[in-house]
Amino acid sequence: MALGTLCAQPAGATPLRGEYVALGDSAAAGPLIAPQDLTVPGCLRAQRNYPAVLADRIGVRLRDATCSSATSENVSAVLQRTPAGTVPVQTSLLSVHTRLVTLTIGLNDVKMFSVALSCAELPGSVPCSQRYRRGGIDELEIRIDRQRPKWGQTLDAIRRAAPNAKVVVVGYGTYVRAGGCASQPVTPADADYLRAVVAHANTVMAGQAQRRGMQFVDLAAMSAGHDMCAPPNRQYFFGLVPASVGAPLHPTALGMVAIGRYVAATMDH
């Protein structure tokens, strides 16, 4: 089956021979977005996450291995422990029959979620932009740079397990606008710092993907203006204090739809 044929299928088309396997962490899984996939409750996976939207858009059968809190090692080598039990290594779903793979991974390797939550502006707290930058050394930048070989190894494991698949690595979006906003408890300096950290992670992962002939889809521009500072009806990402039921700093239901459609539209045919 040619990949051009795969990409040309309209939404709602009959599933093609072969399969699409989605890999990744909570940015792909969609924690707390209703309805949740109760077959894997420990993964906090939404039924309508971006992989599901993408699969419908291009008309392929989806096998979803995404799992909240996953690290790159859980994708390629290490069983993941969840509150509801252990889940298999994500690449175990791949095979010679897999025709498309998407992957969103990396920020859990550097504990970015807990870092970002700690950046909430509290009385007497030290700003993140100072706490993680000392003496001209940026601790988070160093953490990310150290992941280069591991992220590359994860991509190599995907290629070995799915030799006939197109692999699309999907980056992380724009979580907060430049300078932040009054509606979110983060200082302007910390908002800009968090943007820089996520951008660096995207750059490092993009380099690893492109070196291996894999496509990298950058969500930064498409999600600009739809960050946590946007009105709830325009948010692609929940804020530090979500306006509705959802996981802080994770995609909203609207965001999942937008991301799935964007990946479908920008995939190399």
Side-chain angles (χ1 to χ4, degrees), residues 49-143:
N49 54 16
Y50 88 68
V53 173
L54 171 60
D56 285 351
R57 201 75 173 173
I58 63 176
V60 292
R61 182 177 67 254
L62 169 66
R63 298 185 71 193
D64 196 343
T66 61
C67 194
S68 295
S69 299
T71 65
S72 58
E73 289 183 334
N74 297 139
V75 170
S76 59
V78 179
L79 296 174
Q80 183 178 351
R81 295 180 179 178
T82 77
T86 302
V87 295
V89 172
Q90 293 185 19
T91 50
S92 65
L93 267 67
L94 302 177
S95 73
V96 294
H97 303 293
T98 306
R99 297 293 175 168
L100 173 65
V101 178
T102 59
L103 171 71
T104 300
I105 204 70
L107 289 187
N108 286 334
D109 290 340
V110 297
K111 304 186 185 307
M112 190 61 196
F113 181 62
S114 58
V115 167
L117 288 180
S118 77
C119 291
E121 188 178 9
L122 299 172
S125 63
V126 178
C128 287
S129 50
Q130 296 177 25
R131 195 183 324 144
Y132 292 102
R133 281 176 175 161
R134 295 176 184 273
I137 298 174
D138 189 322
E139 179 184 334
L140 296 184
E141 183 175 324
I142 291 172
R143 286 188 197 177

Side-chain angles (χ1 to χ4, degrees), residues 180-261:
C181 55
S183 65
Q184 294 294 324
V186 58
T187 66
D190 281 356
D192 291 346
Y193 180 61
L194 291 174
R195 285 167 56 89
V197 171
V198 174
H200 186 55
N202 282 336
T203 297
V204 170
M205 182 59 87
Q208 294 300 310
Q210 290 160 0
R211 245 168 152 186
R212 292 163 172 78
M214 299 172 179
Q215 184 182 359
F216 182 82
V217 176
D218 191 346
L219 302 182
M222 66 79 66
S223 56
H226 297 278
D227 56 86
M228 68 172 77
C229 295
N233 64 351
R234 287 180 53 80
Q235 279 184 354
Y236 290 174
F237 302 99
F238 289 111
L240 287 161
V241 181
S244 59
V245 176
L249 304 173
H250 284 77
T252 62
L254 179 66
M256 283 299 192
V257 171
I259 292 168
R261 290 177 176 176

